Amino acid sequence: MYLSRIFNAINISVQEKYMTEILELNEKTKEFGLILTPDEVKNMMVARNKVLRDYGRVELGIEVTKELIEIFSESPYIHEDNYAATLTELHEIFYYLRNETEDKIGDFKLISMMKEMFDGECAGSVELLKSRLEEFAENFRSESLRESLFEGED
Amino acid sequence: MEFENDKERSGLVSRSKIKKANLRRNQYTISLLNEGLRAGLLTGQEVYRIQAGLMGILQDLIRRYTQGESSSVTSETAESIMASLLYAVDAYTLQFINPDQAVTELKTGNIRNIYEQGLELLRRLFEETKQLYQEVKKNKLDVPVDAYNMTIDESLPIFMKKYGIVFDAHNTMASIDYPLAVDDMRLQGVFYIRQYLERLQMETRFCRRFDRRDLLDLLTDYGKVCRFDYRIELFNIFELVLNNAIFSILSGGDAGQIRISANQYNRLQRMFSRLNASQIAAAIHQAMERLQHEMKTDPPLTDYMNQCRNNLIQRVINAANHDSLETVIIREKEVKTKSIVLLLNEADRMSDVRLRRLLDEMMRLETKEEKVQLIRDYFSSLHDYLDLLDSGCLYGDEYEALFATFGDMELAIFAKIVFYEELRADFLDFQSIVAAGKDDESEWKMHYVEFMQKLSDDRINAIGNLISDIDYEEIRFY
């Protein structure tokens, strides 16, 4: 439809701007020995756009991507060789979780929770993080369903 | 297309490059951009700048929507917010009579300012609409028509309460059941509700000028003609009143009258069968003009009445051709004295406790004869019977045994309930309706239909004749 056409058009035009903003973050992540090349950023953004489309979401701006980079770069389990690939997977997990928790948890809280699990019980395993968060989402949904039944929402 | 304010009435209209046919009332601004681009009034670059501006506003709105918690939303939410945003921009662009002017505004203005001004227009419009609603509510007709009453008392307040100009401007929010005589369903949101209320107010004011007793009788007679309970049906009161007022004039009555006597009806019937289509049209035209003149209708009402005219002409021509004028001209029905008094009063209903006790007692009985005897001894009101039948306490042939104890009148009352849709839908005779049977998930209704189908034709016809004597006002369906 008309709207998605505009979204795409706008996205293309600001691609450059996003690229610069993300590359600027290298300054901060350098201290952990983590650097993204322009090619890696480009691939990551392509993957992120695909994930957004697949999950039927619209995001104007790249706050989530920047937040993921800043928070996860501090993780002891992320190294230079798995940095870009992990970030791509984290995007996928994040938007999956965003949909599954029915937009009831804020961006920052979700990312912090992911980070905590990733560094803690998952010990840096993205696979484990995925399955833990699937469980979490399921519990969250049945919990909120119970609450809404209890409140007798119309 | 309806343009609201004539802020700008430019002489350039004739030289306009914009083809109005290419513009759409919904998504007006988008169609303006497309058309402006096509006509060369806008460059691709300019359209792009406007779109980027809209996206910027959308981004802020999404943040406001999630209260800063999330920077992404589902596509549906984004589209809905975008639609609301464009609705406000449309409110701004629609005020220019000349679309070229609107294009210029978009081209040279700051889109954020345009949006803010659109919001302000909506805010004012919404306030005016609330005022208008209060007036409509105050002047409401006192008629037992559910759709009319519920729309004013329940649906419209939902709109007034829930409507939001920032995120829901394009939503109509409430389901409005009562049909207007002329309605523009292409409108949405507050534009729609404002128009709905304006027209409802006009219709109501018109109806108020007739005698209330006459109006109530007209409704009752209309229900009898259509063989339905007018209180729960969807129809427009104004149209009914207007048509009869016209018929009154055509049959020598007063303009302020809606009662059509049997004599007047005969006169109309003779007249319409004599005239050809264009003569009928001319006669109705003339009568409409006289009505407007004598009632001193104001221009908006006059215009509105004229919009109803062609529909009436068409209906009269069709009815005259098919010899069914009695469905269009609602004449006075004589009041029959009711020979049978039924216990249909809500107040006669037994208490729930007593009903439950009787049902328990009945379940303990062994034979169907005993059960039926108990029912006939203790149940008298229709409501109690319906409760009993709906409770599912009877099985198989017990239903038949019960129905067998009913007289024709009782069976006729149940027919009115079971075959409600069939009876009102067309003019099939009762025997064919029974023979056709029906699919209904309710057990007792299926048993009732089976029982009826086994009766002799004579008895079915006798019951069918009684049905027309039953007044729906006596039966409450829910």
Side-chain angles (χ1 to χ4, degrees):
Chain A
M1 87 162 252
Y2 154 78
L3 196 57
S4 52
R5 238 181 28 234
I6 297 197
F7 284 143
N8 288 339
I10 302 291
N11 267 336
I12 292 162
S13 75
V14 289
Q15 228 45 276
E16 284 293 296
K17 186 172 147 256
Y18 290 167
M19 173 77 88
T20 327
E21 282 179 29
I22 294 173
L23 288 175
E24 273 169 11
L25 287 176
N26 280 338
E27 286 303 310
K28 281 191 188 173
T29 58
K30 225 165 40 187
E31 59 172 305
F32 306 107
L34 301 172
I35 301 270
L36 288 171
T37 66
D39 267 353
E40 282 172 330
V41 173
K42 206 178 275 172
N43 289 340
M44 187 173 75
M45 291 315 284
V46 169
R48 168 229 184 227
N49 292 344
K50 182 177 179 313
V51 166
L52 277 173
R53 210 168 37 244
D54 290 350
Y55 284 127
R57 298 195 68 83
V58 169
E59 179 169 78
L60 301 168
I62 50 162
E63 274 76 2
V64 168
T65 302
K66 284 156 80 176
E67 197 85 37
L68 283 172
I69 291 175
E70 286 193 45
I71 290 190
F72 274 86
S73 60
E74 292 174 11
S75 167
Y77 294 102
I78 293 191
H79 313 289
E80 211 183 337
D81 44 350
N82 68 0
Y83 183 41
T86 309
L87 277 178
T88 301
E89 299 221 45
L90 288 173
H91 274 95
E92 159 111 34
I93 295 175
F94 174 83
Y95 292 111
Y96 161 81
L97 204 56
R98 167 115 321 303
N99 266 5
E100 295 299 304
T101 52
E102 294 156 351
D103 289 334
K104 284 181 182 139
I105 306 180
D107 286 349
F108 184 70
K109 206 170 157 198
L110 272 187
I111 295 175
S112 310
M113 200 177 72
M114 284 166 62
K115 167 77 167 24
E116 208 170 290
M117 281 189 182
F118 184 75
D119 284 356
E121 51 191 307
C122 302
S125 158
V126 176
E127 286 308 313
L128 211 50
L129 181 65
K130 249 186 230 171
S131 69
R132 283 290 139 82
L133 286 171
E134 271 167 28
E135 280 168 38
F136 169 81
E138 202 165 309
N139 290 337
F140 182 87
R141 274 203 317 272
S142 55
E143 194 70 26
S144 69
L145 183 68
R146 228 189 337 269
E147 269 169 34
S148 68
L149 285 178
F150 188 68
E151 285 166 14
E153 277 182 1
D154 45 22
Chain B
M1 197 172 315
E2 195 180 29
F3 293 93
E4 304 300 335
N5 300 320
D6 39 345
K7 188 173 175 180
E8 189 70 24
R9 209 179 267 280
S10 161
L12 289 172
V13 183
S14 51
R15 279 186 281 139
S16 170
K17 289 180 179 168
I18 299 262
K19 280 194 190 139
K20 283 198 178 183
N22 289 343
L23 300 178
R24 287 182 297 160
R25 175 59 180 79
N26 281 327
Q27 297 201 325
Y28 182 67
T29 305
I30 298 298
S31 65
L32 268 181
L33 292 181
N34 288 333
E35 186 56 16
L37 196 57
R38 191 200 59 80
L41 293 174
L42 291 168
T43 65
Q45 201 62 35
E46 283 162 339
V47 170
Y48 180 77
R49 186 189 61 78
I50 294 164
Q51 288 180 342
L54 291 171
M55 284 300 130
I57 303 171
L58 179 64
Q59 195 166 358
D60 293 349
L61 285 179
I62 288 178
R63 200 148 304 150
R64 247 173 95 181
Y65 182 83
T66 64
Q67 290 166 336
E69 288 277 293
S70 165
S71 55
S72 69
V73 289
T74 60
S75 311
E76 296 86 59
T77 308
E79 277 171 19
S80 170
I81 296 175
M82 187 68 185
S84 183
L85 190 175
L86 288 173
Y87 189 88
V89 177
D90 285 354
Y92 182 82
T93 49
L94 275 167
Q95 62 181 332
F96 301 101
I97 292 285
N98 179 3
D100 295 49
Q101 173 77 17
V103 171
T104 311
E105 289 285 326
L106 287 169
K107 183 174 172 159
T108 53
N110 175 325
I111 191 74
R112 223 167 254 273
N113 287 343
I114 289 178
Y115 170 67
E116 289 298 332
Q117 289 184 58
L119 271 189
E120 187 48 41
L121 285 172
L122 290 183
R123 199 167 288 134
R124 256 184 280 151
L125 190 62
F126 187 37
E127 283 311 313
E128 284 166 23
T129 307
K130 282 191 204 162
Q131 292 275 326
L132 187 57
Y133 168 70
Q134 290 307 331
E135 284 170 38
V136 166
K137 195 177 154 189
K138 208 168 71 197
N139 292 313
K140 208 179 107 187
L141 292 173
D142 185 11
V143 288
V145 177
D146 284 353
Y148 178 80
N149 290 322
M150 301 247 281
T151 295
I152 297 178
D153 296 336
E154 290 173 29
S155 306
L156 288 167
I158 291 178
F159 174 84
M160 302 302 158
K161 205 170 123 202
K162 284 198 185 165
Y163 187 68
I165 52 170
V166 178
F167 296 118
D168 288 307
H170 59 301
N171 277 337
T172 310
M173 297 326 249
S175 74
I176 307 293
D177 289 336
Y178 180 70
L180 294 173
V182 185
D183 200 358
D184 185 355
M185 303 283 218
R186 288 170 309 171
L187 297 187
Q188 297 172 323
V190 69
F191 279 117
Y192 177 75
I193 298 291
R194 208 248 324 240
Q195 177 206 260
Y196 183 89
L197 282 166
E198 279 170 351
R199 295 183 175 184
L200 188 62
Q201 188 180 41
M202 224 158 34
E203 293 190 358
T204 301
R205 279 186 184 153
F206 178 79
C207 293
R208 275 195 165 279
R209 297 174 67 174
F210 297 87
D211 183 71
R212 178 164 176 268
R213 191 64 250 168
D214 288 354
L215 174 59
L216 289 177
D217 288 345
L218 173 64
L219 292 173
T220 309
D221 292 337
Y222 176 64
K224 280 182 189 155
V225 166
C226 300
R227 295 204 278 185
F228 62 38
D229 179 358
Y230 75 85
R231 293 166 306 178
I232 60 170
E233 294 293 335
L234 296 178
F235 66 96
N236 181 260
I237 303 171
F238 167 80
E239 216 173 4
L240 204 59
V241 172
L242 174 64
N243 294 355
N244 259 33
I246 301 258
F247 292 133
S248 169
I249 291 178
L250 285 173
S251 58
D254 258 341
Q257 274 288 337
I258 46 174
R259 260 181 210 285
I260 302 291
S261 67
N263 277 340
Q264 282 176 296
Y265 177 79
N266 292 337
R267 205 169 143 181
L268 287 167
Q269 200 175 26
R270 277 198 303 276
M271 178 172 99
F272 287 134
S273 55
R274 208 160 22 86
L275 301 178
N276 64 26
S278 64
Q279 287 168 322
I280 290 178
I284 291 176
H285 259 271
Q286 229 174 6
M288 183 71 93
E289 271 168 29
R290 208 186 116 198
L291 180 65
Q292 288 161 347
H293 178 73
E294 290 195 14
M295 292 188 81
K296 298 187 179 65
T297 55
D298 58 9
L301 178 58
T302 307
D303 180 52
Y304 194 67
M305 286 162 83
N306 289 342
Q307 289 185 53
C308 300
R309 191 180 48 212
N310 286 348
N311 186 24
L312 176 64
I313 291 172
Q314 212 45 53
R315 284 184 63 202
V316 172
I317 292 172
N318 287 342
N321 286 339
H322 294 95
D323 199 19
S324 59
L325 280 168
E326 74 273 9
T327 59
V328 184
I329 306 167
I330 311 300
R331 76 182 130 165
E332 268 183 286
K333 299 272 185 303
E334 17 179 324
V335 185
K336 280 187 195 153
T337 44
K338 290 200 192 77
S339 50
I340 306 156
V341 178
L342 295 153
L343 283 172
L344 295 175
N345 196 334
E346 189 96 45
D348 296 329
R349 200 176 190 149
M350 64 174 86
S351 73
D352 286 352
V353 178
R354 182 168 160 76
L355 179 72
R356 214 170 304 133
R357 204 173 293 148
L358 280 171
L359 289 179
D360 283 344
E361 198 177 317
M362 196 182 75
M363 298 287 268
R364 278 196 292 275
L365 296 174
E366 306 231 320
T367 70
K368 62 182 179 197
E369 287 77 16
E370 287 173 317
K371 288 187 183 182
V372 169
Q373 194 53 48
L374 177 117
I375 295 171
R376 298 300 289 180
D377 287 348
Y378 291 100
F379 286 74
S380 54
S381 97
L382 176 65
H383 303 285
D384 291 338
Y385 268 104
L386 289 176
D387 285 344
L388 162 79
L389 291 166
D390 285 332
S391 73
C393 288
L394 294 177
Y395 301 99
D397 58 354
E398 290 168 5
Y399 284 104
E400 198 179 329
L402 177 64
F403 294 137
T405 66
F406 284 177
D408 287 358
M409 191 40 126
E410 284 159 316
L411 288 173
I413 292 171
F414 282 109
K416 204 109 182 172
I417 294 167
V418 173
F419 293 116
Y420 181 80
E421 288 300 326
E422 289 79 358
L423 283 167
R424 61 157 286 199
D426 48 46
F427 286 81
L428 270 184
D429 62 299
F430 184 57
Q431 208 175 332
S432 323
I433 291 175
V434 171
K438 69 181 280 162
D439 284 327
D440 199 296
E441 59 263 36
S442 159
E443 200 183 348
W444 75 264
K445 287 182 186 170
M446 293 314 295
H447 282 286
Y448 172 82
V449 174
E450 272 174 39
F451 174 81
M452 291 297 288
Q453 285 172 340
K454 285 183 204 153
L455 296 180
S456 70
D457 288 353
D458 284 350
R459 178 115 193 258
I460 291 179
N461 284 333
I463 295 169
N465 289 336
L466 283 174
I467 290 178
S468 49
D469 288 346
I470 302 172
D471 197 338
Y472 271 113
E473 305 220 12
E474 304 286 320
I475 306 177
R476 281 224 160 266
F477 287 88
Y478 48 91

